[in-house]
Amino acid sequence: MTLHIENKIIFRQSPDNEAYFHPKICLVPQSGLLVMTLQTVRGSDFYGPVLSCCSTDKGESWSSPRPIPSLGINPYDNGTVFEGVCDVVPDYHPQTGRLLAIGHNVFYLKEGFLDTLGDFQRKKQQSLQRYGVYSVGDLQGNWSERKELRFEGFEKSSSFVCGCTQKLILPDGDMIIPFTFADWGRQDRQCCTFLCGFDGEQIFAKKRGNILTHRAGRGLLEPSLAYFKGKFYLTLRAEDGHGYHADSDDGLHWSALQAWRWQDNEALTMSTTQQHWLELGGKLYLVYTRKTDDNENVIRWRSPLFMAEFDPQKKCLLKESEACVFPLRYTDADKQQAALMGNFHPCILSENEALVSVGENIPKQRQAGNTLLARIRSCH
C-alpha cells in the first residue's frame, strides 16, 4: 500500500499579515459536511475569537469563517485583563446530532498573552485558572453559550484542560476525553482520561482513569487518543526531547509511558510538539514532527510534518513507512525563516482518505502564514 499526498492552500495570509491558526476539522458522516474551527493569530499564543467555517465538497472549498459568539474575547478584570478561548477541536456527536467545539480559556493583556501559569517566566496571576470550555452547535450554524468543564477533584487546579486533543466517541454516545492538569506551584502537567457522558447539552464525568506523570519541564501536554484493533492508544507531547505513548484495554487505565522509537529501537528526537493519530487503509499512523538532517534551523523542528505507520505488536513506528505530509518551506533566501507546522489536526473522511489541516506559523511575521490542507489517500 502506498500513500498519495496532495497539498493546497485554503486560506492565504492577508497583506497585513493577518492569518488563521489552529485549523481543526470534523466530519458529519451522513451528509459529508466538514466543520472547521480556527482563529486569527496576532502574536505568540495570542489569538483572536474562535471562528467556524464549513465545506460541502470534501475540503476543496470553504465558507468564510464566522465567529462562534460564545467563544470570543471578553474583559475579565476592569479592562486590564481579557479572557479568550484557544486550542479548540470540533467533534461531531452522532448519537445526538450535535457539534462540540471544545478548548480551554486563556488570558491576555492588551499587548499579548498573559502567562498565568508562569510557564515562560513572565508576569503571572495565580488566581486565574485555566479550564476546559465548550460550545454545543447544530448543523445550521447555531452555537450555545459558553459552558465549562470543571470536574470533581480538580476545582482548585491551576489548569485542567483538554485543548488540541483527539477524543473518542464510543458507540453508546459516551466519550473518552484526555485531560492534562497541574497544581499551583507545580509546573509539570499530569495526564488522565475521563469517561464522559453527553446528553446533547452538557458534558459530565462518569469515571476517571489512572494518572500519568512525567516530571520534565511542563510535563505531559496535548494528549491524543486512538482505538485500533481492540486496543486504546495515547500519544503525548513532552519537553525532554521525546514524545511518549501508552496503551490501555479500556481507555482509562494506561500502561507505563514509552518514548517514540523506530523498529530498530532508535528514538525519535522531538521538541515539545504535539503528535496525533490517523487511521487509514486499515493501518494506524502517527502524525508528528522530528529532528532531521535538513531542519536544524527550524524552531523546535516544527517542520516538515511527517506520518509513519504504528506497529501495535512491537509498539514502535516503521521507519520505511515514513511519508512527508507537509514539506519544509522557507520564506527567505538565507533559510532562517521556516514556516512552522507544529499545530495541526487530522480528520478521517473514509477508510482510504483523510485530511490534515495546519496553519503556517512564521516567526517575526506576527506568526502569520497560509492555512494549508493535505489530502491523503491510501492506494493498493
Side-chain angles (χ1 to χ4, degrees), residues 63-325:
S63 63
S64 296
R66 298 174 56 186
I68 298 177
S70 60
L71 302 184
I73 299 173
N74 302 307
Y76 186 84
D77 182 19
N78 297 321
T80 61
V81 174
F82 300 85
E83 184 181 30
V85 177
C86 69
D87 294 356
V88 171
V89 179
D91 289 282
Y92 176 67
H93 190 263
Q95 292 82 1
T96 61
R98 295 290 184 174
L99 293 163
L100 288 164
I102 304 177
H104 65 83
N105 70 334
V106 65
F107 294 95
Y108 303 120
L109 300 174
K110 288 183 178 180
E111 62 269 24
F113 173 69
L114 174 58
D115 182 18
T116 57
L117 303 180
D119 283 344
F120 311 107
Q121 291 76 53
R122 299 178 187 170
K123 179 181 178 182
K124 60 182 177 179
Q125 294 189 10
Q126 291 203 346
S127 62
L128 300 181
Q129 294 178 304
R130 291 193 212 163
Y131 48 84
V133 300
Y134 65 103
S135 180
V136 180
D138 61 28
L139 300 184
Q140 288 72 49
N142 303 303
W143 293 92
S144 75
E145 73 281 7
R146 185 184 303 188
K147 303 169 187 280
E148 299 179 357
L149 287 171
R150 293 180 180 264
F151 293 168
E152 183 178 353
F154 297 87
E155 298 90 346
K156 297 183 179 180
S157 297
S158 60
S159 67
F160 179 68
V161 302
C162 58
C164 293
T165 65
Q166 285 175 296
K167 313 159 200 71
L168 288 172
I169 299 176
L170 304 177
D172 63 0
D174 282 351
M175 299 184 291
I176 301 179
I177 305 178
F179 283 81
T180 57
F181 60 92
D183 299 323
W184 293 113
R186 179 170 174 169
Q187 187 185 41
D188 63 299
R189 273 64 139 183
Q190 302 173 79
C191 176
C192 65
T193 51
F194 277 82
L195 178 67
C196 297
F198 176 60
D199 60 10
E201 295 184 1
Q202 301 287 338
I203 297 172
F204 50 93
K206 290 186 171 183
K207 294 180 182 179
R208 195 206 79 193
N210 65 308
I211 293 174
L212 296 171
T213 301
H214 185 64
R215 298 201 73 160
R218 287 182 291 163
L220 301 170
L221 303 165
E222 297 172 336
S224 277
L225 292 171
Y227 180 76
F228 185 69
K229 295 185 177 179
K231 200 87 169 177
F232 295 87
Y233 296 99
L234 179 68
T235 187
L236 304 109
R237 167 181 170 180
E239 299 206 313
D240 61 352
H242 300 286
Y244 286 86
H245 63 99
D247 57 74
S248 170
D249 291 326
D250 62 1
L252 295 175
H253 300 91
W254 297 94
S255 65
L257 296 172
Q258 297 183 51
W260 278 113
R261 296 181 180 274
W262 301 116
Q263 69 267 37
D264 63 2
N265 209 37
E266 177 191 359
L268 280 74
T269 304
M270 299 173 168
S271 179
T272 185
T273 301
Q274 60 194 230
Q275 314 103 47
H276 297 300
W277 300 102
L278 177 58
E279 186 176 349
L280 193 67
K283 298 180 179 181
L284 184 61
Y285 293 86
L286 187 75
V287 188
Y288 57 93
T289 60
R290 66 175 180 88
K291 184 180 181 181
T292 73
D293 294 335
D294 302 319
N295 66 359
E296 62 179 8
N297 293 328
V298 179
I299 297 171
R300 295 184 185 175
W301 311 310
R302 285 193 167 183
S303 181
L305 188 65
F306 297 105
M307 62 185 292
E309 183 184 347
F310 173 63
D311 185 326
Q313 281 71 46
K314 297 180 180 179
K315 298 181 181 180
C316 65
L317 298 178
L318 303 181
K319 196 169 189 177
E320 66 275 10
S321 73
E322 187 177 62
C324 183
V325 179

